């Protein structure tokens, strides 16, 4: 039986995405929101919305008790966790289960197993997948980690055992940076995931980050929806994702897809998930981690396969058997996604806060906007600075890049700085167009990137002047005077103040 | 009407006179006649002698924003304060390196008053939006004052600490 009512335990664009899927399926939706999000789209869009109060994540979107209380009082039969927050928290999944509320995702046991990056790697290694060499032990004292780090050699990666999304992840290029990096990673991990433990891994040179989307039902059927290439990363945060990857041959795609399905089967995975791989310069692939949730970048797969992953999540959770067969999955064309962040590229990509004064997004064939904001929404420092995602699809990669360029140039957010100028240049970069890029791409070509021109274009000055002449404000006008007797405008007659 | 806008430390001066939908502009010594129509508040269509551009202007209390050619520029109109701005306004003031780049929470303070530091040493760690920002010493010197302790809220632009003058 399909659910009648679902609670969405998230905010922003992903809450909006899930609400839309529910509404299309005739499911009543319950949104939860913190005080900081009172006026955001997901709250307005849901059929019911319940306040969680205090915007601090631990008091709102991370507060299991509060969210479950809302689920019970509103009579929600299932909870969709989105991504981030409680999406990969096994205690939350277990607590839902205990209350007879269906958690839309895999079982608490699978989340716990895959959430522990070390255990996940060991499990996958036992099932025959290759993993990256490193220290995956339990010892967390700084002296032991320093010792292990030195024996792995540099460069190496420090990663949070419970990590994801680039948080608690540091690259260490030389021994002198090791101590600081470990301690910083431990603190970030503690604050982001409530678990400070980290592991160390050899740093692969020139790797590609390629992941496979999985759908698995509760009757033992597992399929994959091909890959997403997420090699464009800044500080280990994905920025641009695409499918298909220019790096994969038909054979490699097939063997990686099979490995991904095998990984899911090995742990009895259910619902939508993603198996992430690192692909090295010799095209060897290593299991990196499995994300037991909906991915931020799921729209690229939806664009190329035509499959609605969120609807399948809801169907699978309600017990429906997968009607899709592997051989029926036939992606076509090329899809690209850009993540729009409230970050100021001219100030070292610092997250920005402020009020969205005006917002206009590109519309057109094969252009999709996933947005968590609208005009007059205030961007606060409490949550992730991602404002939304822009996904486009083209007949081929070049066509897709041209469409993305056009779409980005018409994406207008006024009031909060965004990374759009940066995205435009990345998309248009010769090396990106060539394809086959690695996770070092941004570092190599955009290390100290700032906007090419720091100047205000002449057209912008004109438009400002025209606007100010239309709506003059006394205190902004530097000087009022009769036109200069030698001014060529003398003949234009006396100008007026006020319209 | 004489206007001045500040953008990225540069000042732009422009003179504009309006006559119906015609605007006479003087900018950098050149004169232009443009025809502008407003489609809705702030959405402008400007004819620059045959070349038509579209821009959007929006304003808040202390800033104006303009969207042109896919990019947003933020400018501050300069009020009639008697202050003189010519060309570049000041280079970064000497202590700007110790200002917090972000509003967030101080999670770690690595130095005490009186500590000697060398260039590149991490002095303070600030967390915001789940990412850490390191305040590093831009040069060697002695820490004279530490303004925050772990757990404190810090606002963007606040002085994190005071370092001795350069020798």
């Amino acid at each position: 039986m399909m659910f009648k009512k679902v609670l969405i335990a998230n905010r922003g664009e992903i809450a909006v995405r899930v609400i839309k899927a529910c509404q299309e399926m005739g499911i009543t939706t319950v949104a939860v929101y913190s005080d900081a999000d009172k006026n955001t789209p997901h709250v307005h869009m849901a059929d019911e919305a319940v306040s969680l109060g205090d915007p601090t994540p631990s008091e709102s979107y991370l507060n299991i008790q509060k969210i479950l209380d809302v689920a019970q009082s509103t009579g929600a039969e299932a909870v969709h966790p989105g991504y981030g927050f409680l999406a990969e928290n096994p205690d939350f999944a277990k607590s839902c289960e205990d209350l007879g509320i269906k958690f839309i995702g895999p079982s608490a046991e699978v989340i716990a197993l895959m959430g522990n990056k070390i255990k996940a790697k060991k499990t996958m290694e036992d099932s025959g997948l290759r993993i990256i060499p490193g220290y995956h032990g339990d010892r967390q004292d700084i002296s032991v980690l320093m010792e292990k780090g030195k024996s792995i050699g540099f460069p190496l990666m420090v990663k949070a055992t419970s990590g994801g999304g680039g948080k608690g992840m540091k690259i260490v290029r030389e021994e002198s940076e090791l101590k600081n990096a470990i301690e910083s990673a431990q603190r970030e991990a503690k604050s982001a995931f409530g678990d400070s433990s980290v592991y160390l891994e050899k740093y692969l040179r020139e790797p590609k980050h390629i992941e496979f989307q999985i759908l698995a039902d509760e009757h033992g059927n597992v399929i994959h929806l091909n890959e997403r290439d997420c090699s464009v990363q800044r500080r280990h945060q994905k920025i641009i994702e695409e499918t298909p990857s220019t790096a994969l041959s038909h054979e490699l795609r097939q063997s990686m897809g099979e490995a991904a399905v095998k990984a899911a089967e090995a742990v009895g995975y259910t619902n939508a998930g993603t198996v992430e791989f690192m692909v090295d310069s010799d095209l060897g692939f290593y299991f990196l981690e499995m994300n037991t949730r909906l991915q931020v970048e799921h729209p690229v797969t939806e664009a190329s396969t035509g499959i609605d992953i969120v609807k399948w999540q809801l169907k699978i959770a309600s017990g429906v058997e997968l009607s899709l067969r592997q051989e029926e999955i036939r992606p076509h064309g090329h899809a690209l996604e850009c993540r729009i962040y409230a970050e100021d590229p001219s100030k070292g990509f610092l997250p920005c806060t402020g009020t969205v004064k005006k917002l206009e997004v590109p519309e057109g064939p094969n252009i999709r906007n996933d947005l968590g904001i609208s005009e007059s929404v205030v961007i606060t420092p409490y949550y992730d600075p991602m404002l939304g995602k822009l996904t486009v699809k083209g007949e081929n990669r070049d066509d897709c890049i041209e469409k993305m360029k056009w779409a980005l140039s018409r994406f207008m957010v006024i009031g909060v700085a965004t990374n759009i100028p940066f995205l435009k240049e990345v998309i248009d970069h010769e090396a990106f167009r060539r394809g086959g890029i690695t996770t070092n791409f941004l570092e190599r070509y955009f290390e100290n990137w700032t906007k090419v021109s720091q100047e205000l274009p002449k057209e912008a000055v004109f438009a400002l002047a025209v606007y100010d002449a239309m709506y003059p404000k006394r205190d902004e006008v530097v000087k009022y005077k009769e036109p200069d007797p030698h001014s060529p405008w003398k003949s234009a007659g006396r100008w007026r103040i006020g319209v | 009407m004489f206007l001045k806008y500040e953008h990225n430390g540069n000042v732009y001066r422009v003179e504009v006179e309006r006559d119906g939908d015609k605007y006479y502009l003087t900018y950098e010594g050149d004169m232009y006649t443009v025809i502008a129509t407003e489609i809705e508040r702030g959405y402008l269509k400007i004819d620059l002698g045959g070349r038509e551009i579209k821009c959007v202007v929006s304003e808040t209390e202390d800033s104006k924003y303009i969207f042109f050619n896919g990019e947003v520029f933020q400018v501050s109109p300069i009020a009639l304060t008697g202050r003189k701005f010519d060309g570049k306004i000041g280079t970064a003031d000497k202590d700007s390196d110790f200002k917090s780049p972000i509003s967030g929470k101080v999670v770690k303070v690595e130095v005490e008053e009186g500590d000697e530091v060398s260039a590149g040493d991490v002095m303070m760690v600030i967390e915001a939006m789940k990412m850490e920002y390191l305040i590093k010493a831009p040069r060697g010197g002695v820490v004279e004052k530490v303004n925050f302790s772990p757990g404190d809220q810090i606002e963007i632009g606040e002085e994190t600490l005071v370092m001795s003058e350069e020798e």
Side-chain angles (χ1 to χ4, degrees):
Chain A
M1 270 289 279
M2 183 45 70
F3 311 117
K4 289 190 178 59
K5 195 185 247 189
V6 170
L7 180 143
I8 295 95
N10 215 301
R11 61 182 297 282
E13 67 87 17
I14 198 60
V16 170
R17 168 72 185 94
V18 176
I19 291 168
K20 284 179 181 170
C22 289
Q23 289 180 343
E24 281 180 50
M25 296 170 81
I27 300 167
T28 305
T29 51
V30 181
V32 287
Y33 63 95
S34 79
D35 289 342
D37 286 338
K38 202 152 58 184
N39 191 30
T40 58
H42 85 279
V43 179
H44 300 312
M45 195 175 279
D47 301 291
E48 295 171 39
V50 181
S51 167
L52 298 171
D54 192 332
T56 315
S58 59
E59 289 303 313
S60 51
Y61 302 104
L62 281 175
N63 193 305
I64 294 178
Q65 196 51 53
K66 278 189 187 173
I67 290 170
L68 290 177
D69 286 348
V70 175
Q72 285 192 299
S73 66
T74 55
E77 298 150 85
V79 171
H80 194 301
Y83 54 70
F85 295 121
L86 296 171
E88 288 171 290
N89 183 321
D91 295 338
F92 181 60
K94 183 77 177 63
S95 308
C96 289
E97 207 177 292
D98 291 347
L99 292 173
I101 296 168
K102 181 71 183 179
F103 175 82
I104 301 171
S107 67
E109 292 71 31
V110 170
I111 297 174
L113 179 61
M114 291 296 114
N116 185 312
K117 304 301 170 195
I118 293 170
K119 281 189 193 149
K121 277 171 199 274
K122 287 185 176 151
T123 307
M124 291 307 167
E125 197 176 22
D126 292 344
S127 330
L129 275 74
R130 268 207 289 175
I131 63 165
I132 304 166
Y135 175 68
H136 301 104
D138 297 329
R139 298 288 298 275
Q140 288 298 313
D141 9 338
I142 187 81
S143 56
V144 173
L145 289 171
M146 296 271 292
E147 208 47 54
K148 297 288 180 191
K150 282 177 212 164
S151 66
I152 293 167
F154 301 93
L156 63 77
M157 299 286 295
V158 185
K159 296 182 181 180
T161 306
S162 311
K167 280 146 197 166
M169 193 187 287
K170 306 279 164 189
I171 171 164
V172 184
R173 295 190 185 282
E174 50 187 275
E175 199 179 318
S176 66
E177 299 169 356
L178 185 60
K179 187 162 183 283
N180 254 330
I182 293 173
E183 288 174 343
S184 178
Q186 286 174 330
R187 281 193 306 272
E188 271 188 32
K190 176 84 187 151
S191 124
F193 317 109
D195 170 11
S196 69
S197 53
V198 296
Y199 60 94
L200 308 173
E201 242 171 30
K202 182 173 151 58
Y203 179 79
L204 296 183
R205 288 175 198 274
E206 304 292 330
K208 297 174 184 70
H209 180 121
I210 292 173
E211 59 187 30
F212 276 72
Q213 175 70 50
I214 292 290
L215 282 180
D217 67 16
E218 296 178 353
H219 310 278
N221 302 303
V222 184
I223 60 166
H224 72 82
L225 305 182
N226 276 21
E227 81 280 10
R228 290 183 288 258
D229 190 324
C230 312
S231 300
V232 182
Q233 304 187 356
R234 204 178 60 79
R235 290 201 221 128
H236 310 293
Q237 280 232 333
K238 298 168 188 168
I239 294 177
I240 298 171
E241 299 96 351
E242 65 179 312
T243 189
S245 166
T246 55
L248 301 194
S249 63
H250 177 69
E251 291 69 33
L252 184 54
R253 177 171 296 118
Q254 206 157 3
S255 49
M256 287 178 77
E258 281 163 15
V261 168
K262 193 157 104 184
E265 284 171 344
V267 293
Y269 195 85
T270 51
N271 216 288
T274 297
V275 182
E276 296 193 337
F277 296 102
M278 289 295 246
V279 178
D280 67 16
S281 43
D282 304 323
L283 298 178
F285 62 90
Y286 302 89
F287 170 82
L288 190 63
E289 61 179 39
M290 180 157 192
N291 294 315
T292 56
R293 55 169 160 85
L294 184 63
Q295 294 282 91
V296 175
E297 59 273 24
H298 74 276
V300 288
T301 301
E302 295 187 328
S304 81
T305 60
I307 290 167
D308 190 316
I309 295 170
V310 180
K311 282 197 207 164
W312 269 110
Q313 284 195 291
L314 292 156
K315 286 190 262 189
I316 289 169
S318 72
V320 172
E321 198 168 333
L322 261 179
S323 56
L324 304 161
R325 294 284 162 265
Q326 189 65 57
E327 57 277 12
E328 292 167 11
I329 309 302
R330 292 183 197 280
H332 47 87
H334 200 95
L336 263 174
E337 176 191 271
C338 284
R339 300 190 187 191
I340 315 288
Y341 284 102
E343 290 177 341
D344 192 343
S346 61
K347 290 190 184 122
F349 293 92
L350 280 177
C352 296
T353 55
T355 304
V356 178
K357 288 277 295 168
K358 276 191 202 293
L359 175 69
E360 223 172 74
V361 297
E363 308 277 355
N366 295 321
I367 296 177
R368 165 174 172 177
N369 289 286
D370 286 89
L371 290 176
I373 54 163
S374 56
E375 282 180 14
S376 85
V377 161
V378 180
I379 310 303
T380 67
Y382 295 107
Y383 315 112
D384 189 88
M386 197 179 80
L387 301 175
K389 305 173 308 206
L390 174 61
T391 310
V392 306
K393 188 190 174 186
E395 285 177 23
N396 52 51
R397 192 165 185 267
D398 285 340
D399 180 42
C400 190
I401 289 174
E402 289 308 321
K403 194 185 279 280
M404 182 58 93
K405 257 177 76 181
W406 179 87
L408 282 170
S409 74
R410 270 142 189 96
F411 200 115
M412 177 177 86
V413 184
I414 287 182
V416 187
T418 70
N419 62 338
I420 293 171
F422 178 66
L423 291 168
K424 278 164 62 187
E425 289 202 23
V426 174
I427 287 288
D428 210 18
H429 195 277
E430 176 266 329
F432 180 79
R433 285 184 169 265
R434 209 166 48 223
I437 51 157
T438 67
T439 56
N440 310 81
F441 166 70
L442 287 185
E443 208 171 274
R444 176 166 312 139
Y445 297 104
F446 292 88
E447 170 91 70
N448 292 309
W449 182 87
T450 47
K451 282 192 227 177
V452 176
S453 170
Q454 296 289 338
E455 306 266 296
L456 199 55
K458 188 170 75 181
E459 292 87 345
V461 177
F462 287 7
L464 283 162
V466 165
Y467 179 85
D468 283 331
M470 280 177 183
Y471 303 103
K473 282 200 191 118
R474 186 162 287 273
D475 60 349
E476 285 179 8
V477 178
V478 174
K479 219 187 290 173
Y480 293 94
K481 64 167 190 180
E482 284 292 319
D484 182 323
H486 307 293
S487 158
W489 307 129
K490 185 91 172 122
S491 56
R494 204 185 151 84
W495 47 271
R496 297 170 296 148
I497 296 176
V499 183
Chain B
M1 185 170 174
F2 292 79
L3 299 159
K4 283 185 182 180
Y5 303 104
E6 185 205 322
H7 175 259
N8 261 339
N10 289 310
V11 174
Y12 298 81
R13 309 142 177 278
V14 58
E15 183 187 351
V16 57
E17 293 181 22
R18 180 181 183 178
D19 178 18
D21 61 356
K22 276 206 186 86
Y23 296 80
Y24 303 99
L25 297 151
T26 312
Y27 181 60
E28 290 181 333
D30 291 321
M31 288 158 287
Y32 306 83
T33 308
V34 306
I35 296 164
T37 353
E38 193 177 39
I39 302 152
E40 59 176 277
R41 174 86 191 222
Y43 285 71
L44 305 173
K45 211 164 76 178
I46 302 174
D47 187 329
L48 299 169
R51 185 164 71 96
E52 193 170 82
I53 59 159
K54 291 194 176 94
C55 322
V56 183
V57 180
S58 183
E59 54 186 325
T60 58
E61 260 172 40
D62 47 11
S63 286
K64 283 196 164 78
Y65 299 89
I66 170 140
F67 181 72
F68 166 67
N69 201 16
E71 233 179 290
V72 179
F73 303 90
Q74 181 178 3
V75 302
S76 326
I78 297 173
L80 183 61
T81 56
R83 277 194 296 169
K84 269 203 171 149
F85 289 95
D86 279 302
K88 275 268 182 216
I89 16 181
T91 48
D93 67 277
K94 61 178 167 57
D95 281 336
S96 63
D97 291 311
F98 308 119
K99 288 195 169 115
S100 175
I102 181 124
S103 301
K105 196 173 90 180
V106 175
V107 290
K108 203 166 182 199
V109 177
E110 302 269 16
V111 291
E112 283 177 29
E113 286 169 24
D115 279 2
E116 208 164 305
V117 294
S118 344
D121 283 359
V122 175
M123 305 195 288
M124 199 178 278
V125 182
I126 296 164
E127 188 206 88
M129 295 186 177
K130 304 259 183 238
M131 299 292 271
E132 288 194 346
Y133 297 88
L134 308 179
I135 304 293
K136 289 183 182 170
R139 55 178 165 83
V142 176
V143 177
E144 286 186 346
K145 192 161 178 287
V146 179
N147 294 331
F148 291 89
S149 313
D152 289 354
Q153 274 302 125
I154 187 165
E155 296 303 319
I156 187 163
E158 282 189 305
E159 279 319 320
T160 54
L161 42 76
V162 181
M163 249 177 90
S164 60
E165 294 291 323
E166 221 160 336
E167 282 163 34

